Each structure stands twice: as structure tokens, then as C-alpha cells.
Amino acid sequence: MLVYLGGAMGVNTWLMKGYPDTIPREIDEAAKVDGAGHAQIFFRLILPLAAPMLVVISILSLTAALNDVILANIFLTSNDSKTVAVGLYGIISGQQDQNYGLFAAGALVTSLPVIVVYQFLQRYLAQGLTVGSVKG
């Protein structure tokens, strides 16, 4: 878990730093003029505008964890604790037992959670394109 945190933390932090920088300061200033406090500005304005980046980071983290073969193959040695990607790699890695039909079926089933999560979070990505526009 710490290895995954160390690898993804830098990229995700960089993404989350850059995205709020694109949110116009006029929104903050307008909220301050209307009498909103710092917590209200953050939770009612900035966080909903940053929701698309949070969705992107969650989808990237999910797919990275599901598709990781190298680290999982190194650290997970028993057959009971192998991930799906390592198990699928084991199906085609041997020279005599290359079962590509079973591998393709397993890869298709493995992609279903990512598709379901993406379909559930797709509205947040679409909202991010239209929410928070400022006339100027």
C-alpha cells in the first residue's frame, strides 16, 4: 500500500495543485462581496468546481491499481493473494499453457468495474465543463 501511495501521490498532488489554479479568482471575490466565509467559499464553490479533477484522480487510481502487474507480481507470492492482473498474466506466461481465450474473457471481466465506475462518475466530468463559467 505504501508503494502505491508513493507512486501515485506525486502525480495526484500535481494534478490537484494545477486544477484549482484554473478556477477564476473572480468567483472567490464575488463570494466575499456577498458575505461568504472561507469555509463557505471552499465547500460551496471551489470543491464543486474541483469535482471533475477528483473524479479523474479516482478513475486513474482505480485503473492503476487494477492494471498493476509488476509490483503485485513481486510482492504477492501466494496464489491466494494474487490480483486479477497477476492471475491473468499467469494464464499466458507459460510456454505450454497459453490460453488466450480465457485471458481475453478475464480481461473483459476485469474491465467491467472500471466501466461501471466511469459511468457512475461521468456526470461529474460533464458538469465540470459547464459549471463555474465567468463572463469577462
Side-chain angles (χ1 to χ4, degrees), residues 81-135:
S81 63
K82 286 187 178 179
T83 62
V84 176
V86 174
L88 287 174
Y89 176 72
I91 290 174
I92 61 168
S93 65
Q95 290 184 356
Q96 273 73 24
D97 56 343
Q98 294 179 348
N99 191 349
Y100 289 110
L102 185 62
F103 174 79
L108 183 65
V109 170
T110 304
S111 68
L112 291 178
V114 176
I115 293 171
V116 168
V117 167
Y118 179 77
Q119 288 295 323
F120 176 71
L121 297 175
Q122 179 182 2
R123 63 185 168 133
Y124 294 107
L125 291 171
Q127 279 179 349
L129 297 174
T130 58
V131 173
S133 59
V134 176
K135 289 185 178 181

Side-chain angles (χ1 to χ4, degrees), residues 15-94:
L15 284 173
M16 273 312 297
K17 188 259 179 240
Y19 191 77
D21 289 345
T22 63
I23 297 172
R25 294 222 181 258
E26 289 85 10
I27 295 175
D28 291 352
E29 293 168 0
K32 285 179 187 175
V33 168
D34 290 340
H38 294 293
Q40 286 179 325
I41 292 172
F42 180 74
F43 287 111
R44 290 191 178 181
L45 295 173
I46 304 300
L47 196 60
L49 291 174
M53 186 49 61
L54 294 172
V55 169
V56 167
I57 287 174
S58 65
I59 290 173
L60 288 176
S61 298
L62 175 68
T63 56
L66 284 177
N67 293 331
D68 184 36
V69 175
I70 296 171
L71 289 175
N73 202 12
I74 292 171
F75 291 118
L76 303 175
T77 56
S78 71
N79 287 334
D80 295 336
S81 63
K82 286 187 178 179
T83 62
V84 176
V86 174
L88 287 174
Y89 176 72
I91 290 174
I92 61 168
S93 65

